[in-house]
Amino acid sequence: MSTSNTAVANKIEIKNLTVNYTENRKSFNALNDVSFGVGRGEFVSVIGASGCGKSTLLSVLEGLYSPAGGTVQIDGKELHGTGTERGVVFQHYSLFPWMTTRKNIEFGIKQARHGVKRSERTRIADEFLHKVGLDGFGSKYPSQLSGGMQQRAAIARALAMDTEILLMDEPFSAIDAKNRVVLQELLLSLWEGDGKEERKTVVFVTHDIDEAILLSDKIVVLTAHPGTVNEIVQVPFERPRNRSALVGTEEYGKFRNRLLGLLYNDIRERIGGDEVVL
Amino acid sequence: MTWKKRFLRVTHLLFIILLLVQLLPDRSTKEVFTGKLVTFATGVEVVTLLASFIIKKPQSLSLLLDIVGFVYVLLTVWSLATAKYNVLNDMLFPAPGKVINQFVEDRQKILINIRSSVGITIQGFLLAAVTAIPLGLFIGWSARVGGAATYITKFFSSIPPIVYIPYGIALLPTFRSVSVFVIFLATFWPVFAGTMSGVLGVDKKIIDSAKVLNVSKPEMLFSVILPASLQQIFLGCNQGLSVSFILLTSAEMIGARDGMGYYVKYYSDFGDYTRTITGLLVIGFVVIAVTFLFNKLQNYLLRWKR
Ligand SMILES: Nc1ncnc2c1ncn2[C@@H]1O[C@H](COP(=O)(O)OP(=O)(O)OP(=O)(O)O)[C@@H](O)[C@H]1O
Ligand SMILES: [Mg+2]
C-alpha cells in the first residue's frame, strides 16, 4: 500500500521535522527534530505553551511553509505545498468575508471535489449548514455572524469538502467559554459520526487541556525553544465520549494532572520559578 | 417610522420660510422671476413629500431632508441678498428665480454639454479602471514584499495632471481624445496606487485561507485579492473621480466646443453672469449626482463589510 515500513501505515508521518524562520537575517529555530505519526482515522491534538511552535507545525502540514529539514508524508508520499485533500480550519478568517456562508462552502466544495455540479454543491452546502446548526444562515456574510457561528461555518466547509484529513489551529480559542464547550461537543459528535462512515484523520492544535482530552485519541505535548516533542500520550477514555460523564471521574483528574505536569514542568524549567499559573 | 418622524421635519419649515420671504417686495433693478423660484421650490417640496411616503430607511430619509433643507436655506439667503435687498451687485449676482428661468430656457443646450462632459469623464475613468486595477493587482501581488512600486506610484501621482494637457494636445488629434487621455492619466495613478496599497494590506490570514484551498493564480488575483482590496480601490477611484471632473471642466475652459466648462467660460467671456452661475450650479449638481451614484455602487459592492 505504501512505502512506509511501520506495521500499520500511518496516514500522516512526520519525521525529524526541523523548521527555521529567518528574521532580520538571523535564523530562528522554531521546531527541532519533531517526529510522530497520525494513524488513519485518528484524532491527534498538539498542545504546548504559547510560542512552542504548534502553529508552525500545522503550517507545514498545511503546505504553507517549507521545513528546513525532515519530511512529512501523507499516505507514504512526501508532502509538497498545499492540497485540497487536507481541509483546514484556522482560528480566524477561514471564510472569505465577501462571500456568504453558503458561497464559502460551495467554493470549498468546488476546489476540493472536482466534477460536483453547481446545484449539487448548493445542496451539499445546505446539508452541512444544517449539520452545524446554521439553518437559515446560508445567505449571511461572515461579518453578520458571531465568532462561534463563523467557526461553525468554517467547520461545515471543511467537512463538506470531504477531505480525509482535517487540520485545525485553535479553532475555538477565540470563542467564549460557554460556546466553546458547545462547539467542542459539536465537533466531537460530527467526527465520531454514527460509526458507519470512516472517521477523518485530524490534527488539532489547542492550549486547552480539557479540550484536548475530550476530543483526542492521542496528545502530542511540545516543549518550547526550540519546539520539540516532550511526550506523546494516548488518551485512555472510551468512545463515544460524553463530557459530563467523563470530567467528574478520578481517572480523568489523574490523567489531566499528568498532562498538566508535562506542560507545567516545561514552563517552570524555562522561567526558573514556582510561581507559575497556567 | 412614525407619522411624526416622517413628516414633522425642520425641512418643511424651511420651505415655508422660503415662501414667506418671497412675499417681501423686490428691490432689484433687474427682472427676478420670483414666480419661477416659487414653482421650482414647490416642485422640490412635492417630490420630497412623495419620497417621504416611500423611503423606508430612516437614514436615507434624513439624508434627503438634509440636502433639501440645505437647498431651501441657500435659496432663501440668496434671494434675500439679491432680489429682496439687493446687497450684492445685481449685474454679477442674478436672483435665484432668474437662474432657474435660464436653466429652463437653456435646458437642451445644457443637457448636450452635460452629456459631453460626463461621457468624456466616464470614458477616461473606465479606461483607467480597467487598466490600473488589473495592473495594480498583478504588480502589488508580485511585489508584496518590495516597496519600490509604491514610491514610483507616489512620484507619478504627485504630478499635477494639468501638466499632461500640452502633451496630450501635441500628441492627439481631437480635443475629445486629449480630454479622455488627461482624465485617464489623472485617474490611473490614484486607482493604481489604491489597488497597490489594497493588495499590500490584504491580511496574510486571508491569503493563507485561499492557498490551502489551492486557488489558481487568476482566482487568487480576481476572486481573492480583488475583493479583499476593494475598499482601497474605491478610495483611489473616488480620488480619481473628483480630480477628473475638475480637470475636465478646466480643460474645457481652455479649448473645447462642448461641455459644461465650455458653457461657463463662453458666457462669462460675454459677461452673461446669469448663464455663468447657472452653469456653475449645474456642474455642482452633476458632481453631486455622480458621487451619489458612485457611493451607491461602492456600498453595494462592499455590502459584506460591517
Ligand atoms: N513568520 C515568522 N517569522 C519569524 N518567527 C516566527 C514566525 N512565525 C512564528 N515565529 C516564531 O516561532 C515560534 C513558534 O511560533 P508559533 O506561532 O508556531 O507558536 P504557537 O505554539 O502556535 O503559539 P501560540 O500558542 O501563541 O499560537 C515563536 O517564537 C514565534 O515567535
Ligand atoms: Mg498558534
Side-chain angles (χ1 to χ4, degrees):
Chain A
M1 190 187 107
S2 74
T3 54
S4 172
N5 49 14
T6 36
V8 181
N10 279 325
K11 181 77 183 170
I12 305 173
E13 194 66 62
I14 298 162
K15 281 186 200 153
N16 312 110
L17 198 69
T18 299
V19 181
N20 295 332
Y21 288 115
T22 319
E23 222 172 6
N24 305 325
R25 295 195 186 158
K26 268 190 283 180
S27 183
F28 171 79
N29 183 212
L31 286 179
N32 189 32
D33 199 21
V34 169
S35 301
F36 66 93
V38 183
R40 180 176 293 276
E42 195 176 25
F43 197 121
V44 172
S45 284
V46 178
I47 63 173
S50 181
C52 71
K54 303 183 294 293
S55 297
T56 302
L57 174 64
L58 227 62
S59 69
V60 173
L61 298 183
E62 285 149 2
L64 292 171
Y65 201 79
S66 306
T71 56
V72 175
Q73 292 184 342
I74 291 179
D75 289 327
K77 272 187 291 216
E78 193 166 329
L79 179 140
H80 287 291
T82 58
T84 48
E85 81 286 357
R86 286 158 276 158
V88 178
V89 179
F90 295 109
Q91 187 177 347
H92 295 289
Y93 281 126
S94 296
L95 306 171
F96 296 130
W98 54 88
M99 288 183 189
T100 63
T101 39
R102 185 181 293 111
K103 273 264 158 3
N104 262 294
I105 299 173
E106 287 171 0
F107 188 79
I109 301 170
K110 190 188 89 178
Q111 293 301 111
R113 298 164 70 175
H114 300 285
V116 177
K117 278 198 292 240
R118 175 177 237 143
S119 57
E120 181 67 1
R121 291 202 290 262
T122 309
R123 193 195 60 72
I124 297 171
D126 283 338
E127 177 192 325
F128 278 90
L129 280 170
H130 172 74
K131 281 192 179 174
V132 298
L134 285 180
D135 292 287
F137 287 94
S139 10
K140 293 260 190 271
Y141 290 98
S143 66
Q144 297 170 306
L145 303 181
S146 70
M149 289 159 111
Q150 289 179 21
Q151 290 311 75
R152 279 170 194 260
I155 291 171
R157 182 177 69 184
L159 294 178
M161 287 165 67
D162 200 22
T163 55
E164 290 180 356
I165 296 172
L166 279 181
L167 305 172
M168 302 188 169
D169 189 355
E170 305 202 30
F172 306 144
S173 55
I175 313 292
D176 63 277
K178 217 176 108 204
N179 274 307
R180 195 184 310 158
V181 168
V182 176
L183 283 168
Q184 288 163 359
E185 266 152 24
L186 174 74
L187 178 64
L188 184 65
S189 73
L190 286 173
W191 177 79
E192 285 182 344
D194 50 13
K196 286 184 203 123
E197 287 172 57
E198 199 187 340
R199 285 176 180 162
K200 295 184 185 308
T201 308
V202 184
V203 181
F204 186 97
V205 166
T206 178
H207 54 237
D208 178 337
I209 289 189
D210 295 296
E211 182 171 272
I213 300 174
L214 177 72
L215 297 171
S216 331
D217 297 312
K218 189 164 89 184
I219 298 175
V220 177
V221 185
L222 293 186
T223 310
H225 296 120
T228 45
V229 176
N230 182 354
E231 196 145 331
I232 298 174
V233 188
Q234 289 290 330
V235 181
F237 305 114
E238 272 178 16
R239 293 185 189 275
R241 287 190 193 143
N242 178 305
R243 178 195 305 274
S244 43
L246 197 63
V247 170
T249 62
E250 206 190 312
E251 299 89 81
Y252 183 87
K254 268 193 195 155
F255 186 68
R256 188 180 193 282
N257 276 340
R258 189 180 150 209
L259 279 178
L260 214 53
L262 290 172
L263 278 175
Y264 184 73
N265 280 340
D266 172 39
I267 292 174
R268 190 168 47 194
E269 269 165 32
R270 274 173 38 222
I271 302 177
D274 292 293
E275 310 289 311
V276 182
V277 186
L278 267 182
Chain B
M1 273 183 288
T2 61
W3 176 89
K4 276 188 182 171
K5 270 226 167 107
R6 262 185 203 281
F7 295 105
L8 225 59
R9 294 302 197 97
V10 186
T11 302
H12 306 304
L13 182 68
L14 293 173
F15 171 66
I16 293 167
I17 292 172
L18 173 61
L19 288 191
L20 290 176
V21 164
Q22 300 316 310
L23 295 176
L24 296 170
D26 291 328
R27 298 229 183 99
S28 173
T29 56
K30 298 271 193 307
E31 218 178 339
V32 292
F33 299 95
T34 301
K36 291 265 160 67
L37 173 60
V38 170
T39 314
F40 173 75
T42 311
V44 171
E45 182 65 11
V46 168
V47 172
T48 308
L49 285 172
L50 283 178
S52 306
F53 269 112
I54 302 162
I55 291 176
K56 285 194 195 78
K57 268 197 280 177
Q59 302 101 296
S60 312
L61 182 62
S62 292
L63 178 67
L64 174 75
L65 289 173
D66 287 351
I67 291 171
V68 173
F70 171 75
V71 172
Y72 290 155
V73 171
L74 185 77
L75 290 174
T76 307
V77 174
W78 184 5
S79 57
L80 281 172
T82 55
K84 302 305 171 188
Y85 289 101
N86 200 17
V87 285
L88 300 171
N89 180 338
D90 56 9
M91 180 54 194
L92 288 173
F93 297 94
K98 203 169 171 193
V99 170
I100 290 164
N101 178 60
Q102 191 72 64
F103 176 78
V104 175
E105 252 177 38
D106 279 6
R107 62 187 181 280
Q108 226 113 44
K109 207 187 295 174
I110 288 173
L111 208 65
I112 291 169
N113 287 318
I114 290 177
R115 209 179 291 156
S116 161
S117 298
V118 172
I120 290 174
T121 311
I122 289 178
Q123 214 177 325
F125 181 82
L126 284 183
L127 212 59
V130 300
T131 49
I133 294 174
L135 217 62
L137 288 176
F138 189 77
I139 295 178
W141 179 237
S142 315
R144 249 178 74 103
V145 265
T150 320
Y151 291 107
I152 294 167
T153 306
K154 278 268 172 327
F155 173 77
F156 280 106
S157 50
S158 70
I159 299 174
I162 208 99
V163 172
Y164 304 131
I165 293 178
Y167 289 93
I169 290 171
L171 294 169
L172 294 163
T174 60
F175 178 78
R176 194 185 162 88
S177 56
V178 174
S179 306
V180 172
F181 166 76
V182 170
I183 286 178
F184 166 77
L185 280 180
T187 319
F188 183 90
W189 294 112
V191 175
F192 183 70
T195 309
M196 288 267 299
S197 79
V199 176
L200 296 177
V202 175
D203 197 322
K204 186 176 172 296
K205 297 192 198 97
I206 287 190
I207 291 169
D208 282 349
S209 294
K211 279 188 183 162
V212 297
L213 289 172
N214 256 9
V215 297
S216 63
K217 178 148 189 175
E219 256 177 337
M220 180 61 102
L221 282 184
F222 294 102
S223 312
V224 179
I225 302 289
L226 175 63
S229 29
L230 204 57
Q231 188 148 44
Q232 300 280 345
I233 294 177
F234 265 108
L235 219 65
C237 287
N238 274 319
Q239 230 176 312
L241 205 59
S242 48
V243 176
S244 19
F245 218 75
I246 295 171
L247 202 63
L248 178 64
T249 40
S250 346
E252 285 168 344
M253 288 182 182
I254 299 171
R257 293 275 141 73
D258 293 300
M260 287 315 299
Y262 164 75
Y263 180 94
V264 168
K265 182 71 168 58
Y266 182 81
Y267 289 111
S268 75
D269 283 349
F270 281 108
D272 186 343
Y273 292 105
T274 305
R275 283 195 163 100
T276 305
I277 300 258
T278 308
L280 289 176
L281 287 177
V282 167
I283 291 176
F285 278 107
V286 168
V287 169
I288 289 176
V290 170
T291 311
F292 177 79
L293 290 176
F294 198 70
N295 279 343
K296 280 264 168 216
L297 178 72
Q298 175 172 356
N299 289 342
Y300 176 73
L301 290 177
L302 289 173
R303 64 193 178 283
W304 47 273
K305 286 225 171 193
R306 209 205 287 264

